[in-house]
Amino acid sequence: MKYAGLLVMPAGFFLSIAAILLFPAPAPRAAFVLCGLAVEGLGLAVAVRGHMESRGGSRP
Amino acid sequence: MTPITPSPLVPVLTEAVFALTLALLFLAPLAIAGVALINVGLGRSRSAAQSLLGNLALLAVSVIVFALVGATLAGAPGAAGHSFQLAGKPWNWLGAGPLFLGGLGSASPQAQLTLLFEFLAVALAVMIPWGSGADRFRLTAGCAAAAVLAALVFPLAAHWIWGYGWLAQLGVNFGLGAGFLDGGGAATVHLLGGLSALAVVWIAGPRRGKFPKEGLSTALPGHNAVYVLFGCLVALVGWLAWNAAGAVIFLHASLAALPVTALNTLLSASGALAATFAVTRVRFGKPDASLCANGWLAGLVASSACAGLVTPGQALFVGIVAGIATPLMVELLELALSIDDPSGAVTVHAAGGLWGLLAAGFFAPLPGQLVAQLVGIATLFGLMLPVVYLLFWLLNRFVPFRVDPDGERIGMDLHELGGGAYPEFVIHRDESYR
């Protein structure tokens, strides 16, 4: 699960890059960059969740 | 006093500005010394010598590796770089200088000034994850991780942001303000270091006994609050110099703009300390020394991004927000997310740096600057964190990060160095393991 989250994060980065390439207008550009950050946040949340589960399974 | 308006051009420094910047860079290592003291103080007494030796060793390794490989990849403003064309725009993604110390001695004095800044920056960046791995991170593994960061990861970030790479050119190519702005290293040093710290904590795991099977996590307080708080004072001197030098080199500030940069640094740190003091006083009934130190440092880190770009009132606001968020986030990471980060680096450096970069976007007087800052943050989070985790995960297969259980029990000093930091002190048996 941690690895899945970390794999999602680059997708958010590429979304942000696509935003500055595809949208010259400021508003949609900013919106899509924020969407990219949201995807990264989602990936980070999944990775953290995966970390917590793995820790829960290996506590002494 | 008005904030600096960055220019995309790289002006030639006058002799007076050059001399002053060089003098500031001679003071900047005090920031490194302060962070080293904080790392040691927040760890346990039986790992103190290993921790401080580790800070020195990591500094040495990172500087050597950066000289051999990293400096070439990082490049300098105006120097050669590898680029490709995408959507009709050049994307400068890698420096293209000679490898293995070639050109370091023959570069122009201004390029050498930039390189000196980058050498100090890489040394500070590699120390940040070392503090998070305190009491279980092996010295050899710490040096190996520092070498990886100094050879591959830091140079890429430094080139993109400081070496006139694609993030710095977002303004020229896409009309996003003055491009991604990071005069004092909030992104290249602190956000990158903080994310590397998260990777180290995930891979090395928590200290033994930190998260018992039942109940809340065990408090493992730092062994010397005096080191920690004195480290904060030492770091202030370094940060004042660091932010002023960065403003000259990367934001092309004039001498007249430096007093406000220093004032903003001080205001941000002070606001953060006052806010953390108040929050911990309300939360726990008494102010918490180590959390106040973390708050102070978070204020300094946040100022790294925006000290040259905001007004003093805005700098105070930035510091207060950093100071309020720091103790709350430290609690969240430890209690809710099972992240054992003895030095608080993930909160202080990653979250503090992130907030400073955002604040620079909010308050910089340039249209599109906030989007440029968001793209830079997205790059470090979305690309650098997975890359660093992957590299550290691979490295951990060959050089295990975590010490064996016996080593952790007797302490890193005895296990790795054969002697303790305080040989005349009685080291108590650990009663906190449940």
Side-chain angles (χ1 to χ4, degrees), chain B residues 27-318:
Chain B
L27 287 173
L30 286 173
I32 297 174
V35 170
L37 273 175
I38 292 167
N39 282 350
V40 174
L42 288 174
R44 311 193 75 183
S45 58
R46 58 192 180 188
S47 304
Q50 187 254 13
S51 175
L52 200 50
L53 177 63
N55 281 299
L56 269 176
L58 265 62
L59 190 155
V61 167
S62 64
V63 163
I64 292 168
V65 172
F66 190 72
L68 291 174
V69 184
T72 304
L73 306 182
H82 295 289
S83 60
F84 59 88
Q85 292 282 325
L86 184 63
K89 308 284 185 191
W91 291 67
N92 184 346
W93 69 284
L94 195 65
L99 278 165
F100 305 120
L101 303 167
L104 280 187
S106 58
S108 70
Q110 195 165 330
Q112 286 177 337
L113 202 64
T114 307
L115 279 168
L116 178 58
F117 190 100
E118 289 179 353
F119 272 94
L120 296 172
V122 74
L124 181 54
V126 300
M127 273 183 197
I128 294 167
W130 178 249
S132 290
D135 304 321
R136 76 270 203 212
F137 197 11
R138 292 170 60 244
L139 197 48
T140 320
C143 291
V148 167
L149 284 177
L152 298 172
V153 184
F154 175 86
L156 274 182
H159 182 70
W160 295 348
I161 297 165
W162 288 339
Y164 216 45
W166 67 271
L167 276 173
Q169 288 178 320
L170 284 175
V172 176
N173 289 340
F174 298 99
L176 297 176
F180 184 67
L181 291 177
D182 178 25
T188 38
V189 177
H190 301 288
L191 186 49
L192 187 61
L195 295 176
S196 306
L198 181 61
V200 165
V201 166
W202 272 346
I203 290 168
R207 289 169 288 179
R208 187 168 165 262
K210 178 67 185 173
F211 298 114
K213 207 170 257 179
E214 290 170 9
L216 292 173
S217 64
T218 308
L220 300 173
H223 85 283
N224 196 324
V226 177
Y227 284 177
V228 176
L229 296 170
F230 184 64
C232 289
L233 291 172
V234 173
L236 172 66
V237 183
W239 241 275
L240 289 169
W242 199 293
N243 284 351
V248 171
I249 296 172
F250 299 117
L251 302 180
H252 316 312
S254 64
L255 284 183
L258 295 190
V260 74
T261 303
L263 187 60
N264 287 346
T265 305
L266 191 58
L267 279 169
S268 181
S270 303
L273 178 80
T276 309
F277 190 97
V279 169
T280 54
R281 173 79 176 75
V282 170
R283 289 274 294 132
F284 312 122
K286 290 177 182 175
D288 183 287
S290 68
L291 284 175
C292 284
N294 274 343
W296 171 266
L297 205 54
L300 288 174
V301 168
S303 77
S304 293
C306 59
L309 301 166
V310 298
T311 62
Q314 290 165 343
L316 185 61
F317 171 75
V318 168

Side-chain angles (χ1 to χ4, degrees), chain A residues 26-54:
Chain A
R29 179 183 270 180
F32 269 79
V33 169
L34 285 173
C35 287
L37 278 166
V39 170
E40 291 180 6
L42 194 69
L44 186 63
V46 172
V48 169
R49 182 81 189 161
H51 168 75
M52 287 167 66
E53 285 183 1
S54 65

Side-chain angles (χ1 to χ4, degrees), chain A residues 2-17 33 35-45 47, chain B residues 153 160 166-167 191-192 195-196 198 202 354 373-390:
Chain A
K2 189 192 290 180
Y3 304 112
L6 287 169
L7 282 173
V8 168
M9 294 182 76
F13 162 69
F14 287 116
L15 195 55
S16 299
I17 297 300
V33 169
C35 287
L37 278 166
V39 170
E40 291 180 6
L42 194 69
L44 186 63
Chain B
V153 184
W160 295 348
W166 67 271
L167 276 173
L191 186 49
L192 187 61
L195 295 176
S196 306
L198 181 61
W202 272 346
L354 176 68
Q373 299 300 104
L374 290 175
V375 171
I377 290 167
T379 305
L380 285 163
F381 257 104
L383 199 62
M384 289 303 191
L385 175 59
V387 166
V388 169
Y389 185 86
L390 175 69

Side-chain angles (χ1 to χ4, degrees), chain B residues 345-385:
Chain B
V346 178
T347 301
V348 169
H349 296 278
L354 176 68
W355 164 235
L357 292 165
L358 272 179
F362 278 123
F363 297 127
L366 297 161
Q369 190 59 51
L370 180 58
V371 177
Q373 299 300 104
L374 290 175
V375 171
I377 290 167
T379 305
L380 285 163
F381 257 104
L383 199 62
M384 289 303 191
L385 175 59

